[in-house]
Amino acid sequence: MISKKLEDAINYQINRELFSEYYYLSMASYFNSVGLSGFENFFLVQVEEERFHAMKMYKFLNEKGGKVTLQAIEEPTTEFQSPLEVFKLAYTHEKLVSKLINELMDLAIKENDHAAKNHLNWFVDEQVEEEDSMDTIVNKLKLIDGEGYGLLMLDKELGQRIFTPPAK
Ligand code: MG
């Protein structure tokens, strides 16, 4: 069993993870349009991660006897000015997602739902990585400061990223 409040909150989180998928796909498309295929690859991998997050929540809610109810996903930003702007937006977005996960955890604690707390622990850890990954690239882009060679080096590095689904 799961409380109605937690069911609603997890449904909202599924929507936020699917929005993240959409948002990062929009960022991937921007990088495609400016010819930075490594940066595009980084966001295409991120898209898969976000789908994985949504599906992990989907599976948990179903297993707990709740009902997954999908909601509308809003239109993401489609115009970006620079790689640095994109990564600053992605970092800000991940900080917001961390806040949502923390609020979900607060609710699970309030509802005394130990299974939900265990489930959310994975997301708490995951968000530390997500924030760090975006922040690291923001810092590299600041160092590069729009310089072509540095940008191409980073593009090559980000082209190596592959999606590895976590074991559980
Ligand atoms: Mg996510």
Side-chain angles (χ1 to χ4, degrees):
M1 267 308 294
I2 189 159
S3 74
K4 180 80 176 86
K5 269 187 188 173
L6 258 176
E7 181 184 65
D8 289 349
I10 291 173
N11 269 315
Y12 181 66
Q13 191 60 37
I14 290 172
N15 179 271
R16 292 299 78 201
E17 299 296 346
L18 291 174
F19 172 74
S20 301
E21 180 186 15
Y22 217 38
Y23 195 27
Y24 293 145
L25 186 58
S26 185
M27 292 176 178
S29 166
Y30 160 74
F31 283 116
N32 177 286
S33 76
V34 295
L36 290 167
S37 61
F39 283 89
E40 180 193 13
N41 174 68
F42 175 91
F43 278 102
L44 289 177
V45 171
Q46 195 62 34
V47 160
E48 296 205 62
E49 285 216 351
E50 299 309 333
R51 169 58 61 94
F52 181 86
H53 296 162
M55 293 313 292
K56 197 173 173 74
M57 290 278 180
Y58 171 96
K59 189 163 175 275
F60 176 76
L61 186 53
N62 281 327
E63 283 175 353
K64 281 279 279 177
K67 182 179 185 298
V68 171
T69 308
L70 298 178
Q71 300 154 21
I73 300 165
E74 74 263 30
E75 188 178 316
T77 307
T78 55
E79 300 295 328
F80 303 97
Q81 302 310 315
S82 67
L84 179 59
E85 188 207 15
V86 173
F87 276 91
K88 278 182 174 173
L89 287 171
Y91 181 40
T92 300
H93 183 65
E94 286 305 328
K95 284 189 280 187
L96 178 67
V97 174
S98 297
K99 185 170 171 283
L100 292 173
I101 295 291
N102 285 346
E103 286 167 5
L104 255 179
M105 182 62 104
D106 288 344
L107 184 61
I109 290 166
K110 203 165 151 238
E111 303 279 307
N112 208 22
D113 190 325
H114 293 271
K117 284 194 281 179
N118 274 349
H119 164 71
L120 290 167
N121 265 328
W122 184 90
F123 283 90
V124 170
D125 291 342
E126 176 72 1
Q127 281 312 118
V128 176
E129 282 180 32
E130 296 291 60
E131 284 188 36
D132 181 54
S133 137
M134 298 304 179
D135 187 35
T136 298
I137 300 170
V138 165
N139 288 328
K140 284 185 180 178
L141 284 167
K142 280 181 182 166
L143 279 172
I144 289 167
D145 197 22
E147 189 266 317
Y149 184 70
L151 211 53
L152 290 176
M153 288 285 287
L154 184 56
D155 188 61
K156 196 173 174 193
E157 180 190 324
L158 298 182
Q160 311 289 318
R161 190 184 187 199
I162 47 166
F163 176 63
T164 327
K168 184 86 172 77

